[in-house]
Amino acid sequence: AIVVAIGIALPVSLLMAIFASEFTFGFLGKGMRTILGILGGIPPIVYALMSFFMAQLFLIPKLHGNLAFGNAPPGMSWFNPSLINGAYCTLQGGIMLSLLLIPFMAPMFEDALKDVPHSLKEASQALGANRWHTLINVTLPAAFSGILSALNLGILKTMGDVIIVSLTIGMLPT
């Protein structure tokens, strides 16, 4: 579940950080920072309890081919945990952990991107590079150590918050 969580949270957090730090669009960047701050303040146990109900209402029906909310198989109720098997449990736990990790890692990625000196970016743009070329070839390599540190902290947080996976996967009998 940790690999799934990092696989989902890493690109989403990095893209959110790039959007917030490099391509600020006024109120959108500030609003995204505010929402991430609020989501980052929610305790992991709340995510764990939310994951159980979210799994029952949204993930289980979608992963098992039920395309609408009323299409449960005949004889099965919406809250029947036997609809899920081991592979989907790992996916569920990874999705719930990634929802916890995104607000944790995105601000750290943003700080790593903001710590890159403006002189490097200005030098790249003075030589004729556009914003994307500067981002990919100058900013991201210069911020790599900060991004790697944030990723390591995210992995450690994921390993520490196994309560979410245990409540999502372990409490559901298969």
Side-chain angles (χ1 to χ4, degrees), residues 2 5 7 20 22-23 36 43 48-49 51-52 60 63 71 75-76 83 95 99-100 103-104 106 126 136 139 159:
I2 293 172
E22 299 295 320
F23 302 101
L36 286 174
L49 294 174
S51 69
F52 181 75
I60 292 172
L63 292 175
N71 296 338
M76 298 289 201
L83 289 173
I95 289 171
L99 290 177
L100 177 70
F104 179 75
I136 292 170
T139 306
M159 292 170 70

Side-chain angles (χ1 to χ4, degrees), residues 5 7 9 12 16 23 31 36 39 53 62 68 78 90 95 110 136 140 144 156-157 169 174:
V12 172
M16 289 175 79
F23 302 101
L36 286 174
L39 290 176
F53 295 110
K62 299 301 177 196
W78 272 96
T90 303
I95 289 171
E110 184 180 355
I136 292 170
L140 288 177
F144 183 72
L156 290 173
K157 182 170 177 63
I169 296 172
T174 56

Side-chain angles (χ1 to χ4, degrees), residues 9-117:
L10 176 65
V12 172
S13 298
L14 189 58
L15 288 174
M16 289 175 79
I18 288 171
F19 176 76
S21 68
E22 299 295 320
F23 302 101
T24 55
F25 295 109
F27 70 93
L28 289 177
K30 290 179 184 177
M32 184 170 43
R33 283 188 209 104
T34 304
I35 290 171
L36 286 174
I38 291 170
L39 290 176
I42 297 174
I45 191 69
V46 174
Y47 280 100
L49 294 174
M50 182 183 70
S51 69
F52 181 75
F53 295 110
M54 191 171 178
Q56 290 292 330
L57 292 175
F58 297 107
L59 292 177
I60 292 172
K62 299 301 177 196
L63 292 175
H64 287 281
N66 298 329
L67 299 176
F69 274 73
N71 296 338
M76 298 289 201
S77 70
W78 272 96
F79 296 102
N80 188 352
S82 66
L83 289 173
I84 196 159
N85 60 24
Y88 294 125
C89 286
T90 303
L91 183 62
Q92 278 182 321
I95 289 171
M96 292 305 134
L97 282 172
S98 69
L99 290 177
L100 177 70
L101 276 183
I102 289 170
F104 179 75
M105 288 182 8
M108 290 191 292
F109 286 157
E110 184 180 355
D111 288 340
L113 291 171
K114 284 184 177 179
D115 286 343
V116 175

